[in-house]
């Protein structure tokens, strides 16, 4: 059977035939990986390598983005096929249509939770790529993200957004492994939102501005986070927008952050969560003993100055 499929891919000379085979067989092949014998598994991996070669340099071939996400999150994270599924998700997001990107955002947020750092990285890359490429969402699309019914996904988005707003652009020639850790981030958190320094938006200022601005529009939206949202989400949202509001590189992002803060309902500056978050951002975390994440440095002086003003009211 595998040999027959291999022959079909080898004979697929046109883009149309290749597209049809990818849509029909890619996900079933990945499903087969988890239950196949060692011999068959080796053949499937070889076939996937053949498919990858045929896909290279052919962006007109659209991978089944929605089907890949669905199959990935229905399987055990420890399954043998997971690394292949995650690889294809990051490939598929690049040329998925807008509606597929919008539909994928809440599913990617839900899928990131509870996974290892190694698996979170490609999912976070796919999530941020989707946010960057889907453009400015309308109110219906933003409401459809479903944060009101999935507070855990909302928290994941806000944590990711806050870290993203702290990322600085770097020179295109800079070695990804030598990029300085931005103020307020740890090595782990920066790696997550930059794909270990390899994401296209790290060295492309236009892409980074687009990504930050699109993310700010979601975080600042009253459709995504209505007035009746929980105090916890409200305060996490406030901190993310605060980081956006003092962006030193992109005035549009800073302006949008400031405007969104003005439109938010008042924050309880005396709540335990707010004070703890403000202190952690102001002082950083000196040790990773009580946290799986590496230590974070304090945020930039501009954000610390803002935080001082809020903490003085608590």
């Amino acid at each position: 059977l595998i040999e027959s499929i291999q022959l079909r891919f080898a004979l697929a000379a046109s883009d149309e035939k290749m597209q049809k085979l990818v849509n029909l067989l890619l996900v079933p092949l990945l499903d087969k990986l988890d239950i196949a014998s060692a011999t068959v598994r080796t053949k499937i991996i070889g076939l996937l390598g053949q498919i990858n070669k045929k896909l290279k340099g052919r962006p007109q071939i659209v991978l089944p983005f929605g089907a890949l996400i669905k199959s990935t999150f229905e399987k055990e994270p420890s399954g043998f096929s997971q690394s292949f599924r995650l690889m294809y998700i990051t490939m598929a997001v690049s040329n998925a249509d807008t509606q597929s990107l919008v539909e994928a955002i809440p599913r990617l947020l839900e899928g990131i939770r509870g996974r290892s750092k190694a698996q979170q990285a490609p999912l976070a890359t796919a999530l941020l790529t989707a946010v960057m490429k889907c453009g400015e969402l309308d109110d219906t699309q933003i409401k459809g993200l479903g944060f009101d019914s999935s507070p855990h996904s909302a928290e994941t988005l806000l944590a990711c957004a806050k870290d993203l707003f702290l990322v600085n652009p770097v020179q295109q020639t800079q070695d990804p492994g030598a990029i300085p850790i931005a103020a307020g981030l740890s090595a782990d958190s920066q790696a997550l939102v930059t794909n270990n320094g390899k994401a296209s938006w790290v060295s492309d200022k236009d892409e980074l501005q687009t990504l930050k601005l699109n993310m700010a529009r979601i975080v600042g939206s009253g459709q995504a986070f209505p007035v009746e949202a929980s105090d916890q989400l409200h305060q996490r949202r406030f901190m993310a927008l605060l980081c956006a509001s003092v962006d030193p590189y992109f005035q549009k992002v800073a302006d949008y952050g400031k405007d969104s803060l003005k439109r938010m309902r008042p924050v309880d500056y005396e709540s335990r969560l707010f004070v703890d978050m403000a202190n952690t951002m102001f002082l950083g975390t000196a040790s990773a003993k009580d946290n799986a994440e590496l230590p974070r440095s304090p945020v930039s002086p501009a954000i610390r100055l803002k935080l001082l003003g809020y903490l003085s009211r608590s």
Side-chain angles (χ1 to χ4, degrees):
L1 177 61
I2 301 300
E3 288 81 358
S4 173
I5 296 174
Q6 196 165 19
L7 181 61
R8 292 176 68 183
F9 273 103
L11 296 175
S14 69
D15 289 343
E16 183 180 0
K17 290 182 179 178
M18 186 66 182
Q19 182 70 72
K20 186 175 180 180
L21 287 174
V22 166
N23 289 343
L24 181 66
L25 296 172
L26 180 58
V27 172
L29 281 171
L30 295 171
D31 290 341
K32 186 73 173 176
L33 266 180
D34 288 325
I35 58 174
S37 65
T39 302
V40 175
R41 184 178 289 173
T42 300
K43 292 180 180 179
I44 294 174
I45 293 173
L47 174 55
L48 293 175
Q50 175 188 335
I51 294 171
N52 292 346
K53 286 180 181 178
K54 299 207 75 169
L55 290 173
K56 192 173 183 181
R58 297 170 78 178
Q60 64 273 26
I61 306 296
V62 180
L63 299 182
F65 190 36
L68 283 166
I69 290 177
K70 184 176 185 292
S71 69
T72 298
F73 298 148
E74 287 179 348
K75 303 295 181 180
E76 287 296 322
S78 57
F80 184 84
S81 67
Q82 280 295 310
S83 60
F84 292 94
R85 294 179 192 276
L86 296 174
M87 175 189 71
Y88 283 116
I89 284 176
T90 57
M91 291 169 62
V93 72
S94 299
N95 54 4
D97 61 80
T98 300
Q99 187 57 37
S100 297
L101 294 172
V102 175
E103 292 174 355
I105 290 174
R107 302 178 76 178
L108 288 167
L109 286 167
E110 189 65 31
I112 288 173
R113 294 179 58 245
R115 289 182 176 255
S116 66
K117 291 178 183 177
Q119 291 190 359
Q120 285 180 344
L123 291 174
T125 300
L127 168 68
L128 293 174
T129 303
V131 171
M132 180 179 68
K133 293 180 71 67
C134 67
E136 184 174 355
L137 305 182
D138 59 37
D139 288 346
T140 301
Q141 289 172 318
I142 289 180
K143 191 172 181 61
L145 296 176
F147 296 145
D148 52 343
S149 60
S150 183
H152 292 301
S153 293
E155 284 188 20
T156 301
L157 176 93
L158 292 173
C160 187
K162 182 169 75 68
D163 288 347
L164 173 67
F165 293 143
L166 296 173
V167 170
N168 301 322
V170 299
Q171 297 294 326
Q172 290 186 345
T173 56
Q174 195 158 1
D175 178 5
I179 296 174
I181 306 300
L185 297 179
S186 66
D188 283 346
S189 58
Q190 179 159 299
L192 189 65
V193 294
T194 64
N195 191 22
N196 293 302
K198 295 177 289 188
S200 59
W201 54 82
V202 175
S203 57
D204 188 323
K205 291 185 68 173
D206 290 339
E207 280 198 9
L208 183 58
Q209 177 174 248
T210 298
L211 173 55
K212 285 189 174 187
L213 196 54
N214 286 352
M215 183 67 83
R217 286 172 178 143
I218 295 174
V219 176
S221 169
Q223 295 294 328
F225 299 96
V227 174
E228 60 270 19
S230 70
D231 289 343
Q232 185 176 20
L233 282 182
H234 186 61
Q235 291 167 11
R236 293 185 186 281
R237 181 183 174 218
F238 179 90
M239 289 302 190
L241 289 171
L242 174 63
C243 293
S245 71
V246 294
D247 193 299
Y249 295 96
F250 307 117
Q251 190 60 48
K252 287 183 179 179
V253 175
D255 289 344
Y256 199 91
K258 291 172 187 174
D259 183 62
S260 297
L261 286 172
K262 291 176 184 176
R263 290 185 280 108
M264 287 183 66
R265 64 179 169 88
V267 170
D268 181 5
Y269 301 120
E270 295 187 357
S271 75
R272 177 64 180 270
L273 176 62
F274 182 88
V275 173
D276 285 349
M277 286 194 298
N279 282 331
T280 298
M281 291 169 66
F282 192 91
L283 300 172
T285 55
S287 171
K289 291 181 180 178
D290 300 322
N291 194 329
E293 185 184 63
L294 296 174
R296 285 178 179 253
S297 61
V299 291
S300 68
I303 300 176
R304 294 168 81 185
L305 189 61
K306 291 273 189 180
L307 287 172
L308 271 180
Y310 297 124
L311 288 171
S312 67
R313 306 179 200 179
S314 62

